[in-house]
Amino acid sequence: MSKVYTTEELIQILAAERQACLKGERLKLEVTVSGNPVIDQFIRTEGFQKFTAYQDFKAAIHNYQREHHISGIVWREMTVKGKTLRYPEVDTELVGLTSDIAILQSAKNSILNFWYEVTIDMDLHLSFNNSKQYQQITTPDVERIAQRTEWASLWKWQNPNFLEMILQLGWGNPEEARYKRGRPHSGSEYIHAVNPGNLPIG
């Protein structure tokens, strides 16, 4: 029986392939930018060929994941204001299986409880227009959004003078929710918490 790769091994394989593509060691040569041979001869296509080669490889890994039922879940740990949370998220390069979505859903309440604890007295902003604009909101607004979503994830930007906590409230497939290409079946809302008087940067 042939070896089946683990989640961690697939992440390492994708990272190595991404580097090979960036270095130009992998190109999808038949790719053209416009499809018009007259125009394409004047356009540098190498960057597009690198990107396409990696996307094709990543799609093959995603198919392998589904075929062998390999989870896309990685476990993260975050410490903020002396409080620590260990929580699941789907790795940004992998896909979430149906069983992974169930894991994310079961972790939603603990992520939200942690978020509420560490963002007390912080200003809350809802991002829109691909995080180019923000609207200040309140905790009840966050609660209403949370009721309409299936799972949650966290990020933080922190230095000695600044803290920004980002809460992703999502539904559907995480890999589609991230880039808004899956709406209305998959999507996310992003809530940014910052210290009073600061604006989000993330």
Side-chain angles (χ1 to χ4, degrees), residues 62-116:
H62 294 172
N63 288 336
Y64 179 89
Q65 254 189 283
R66 292 182 188 103
E67 181 184 338
H68 295 282
H69 308 287
I70 300 166
S71 172
I73 292 280
V74 290
W75 287 87
R76 307 284 188 212
E77 191 169 280
M78 182 179 290
T79 301
V80 180
K81 300 179 180 178
K83 300 180 189 310
T84 300
L85 176 71
R86 187 171 184 270
Y87 62 98
E89 70 178 28
V90 173
D91 184 82
T92 56
E93 298 297 312
L94 298 176
V95 292
L97 306 178
T98 303
S99 56
D100 293 340
I101 306 300
I103 292 169
L104 296 179
Q105 290 170 342
S106 68
K108 179 182 172 185
N109 286 339
S110 62
I111 291 171
L112 281 170
N113 290 338
F114 178 82
W115 160 267
Y116 291 131

Side-chain angles (χ1 to χ4, degrees), residues 113-163:
N113 290 338
F114 178 82
W115 160 267
Y116 291 131
E117 284 181 39
V118 300
T119 61
I120 289 174
D121 299 327
M122 295 178 81
D123 287 348
L124 306 177
H125 299 265
L126 175 66
S127 71
F128 58 99
N129 193 14
N130 293 322
S131 295
K132 293 179 185 141
Q133 295 177 288
Y134 301 92
Q135 177 181 340
Q136 194 158 1
I137 60 173
T138 63
T139 299
D141 296 324
V142 177
E143 291 167 354
R144 279 192 292 278
I145 295 168
Q147 287 173 1
R148 297 191 319 257
T149 55
E150 298 174 354
W151 46 264
S153 194
L154 295 170
W155 294 273
K156 73 173 177 177
W157 302 99
Q158 186 173 22
N159 65 40
N161 304 313
F162 183 81
L163 172 64

Side-chain angles (χ1 to χ4, degrees), residues 171-178 180-188:
W171 65 92
N173 294 325
E175 64 275 10
E176 292 177 352
R178 218 173 268 124
K180 302 199 184 256
R181 66 177 179 249
R183 286 185 185 253
H185 305 293
S186 299
S188 296

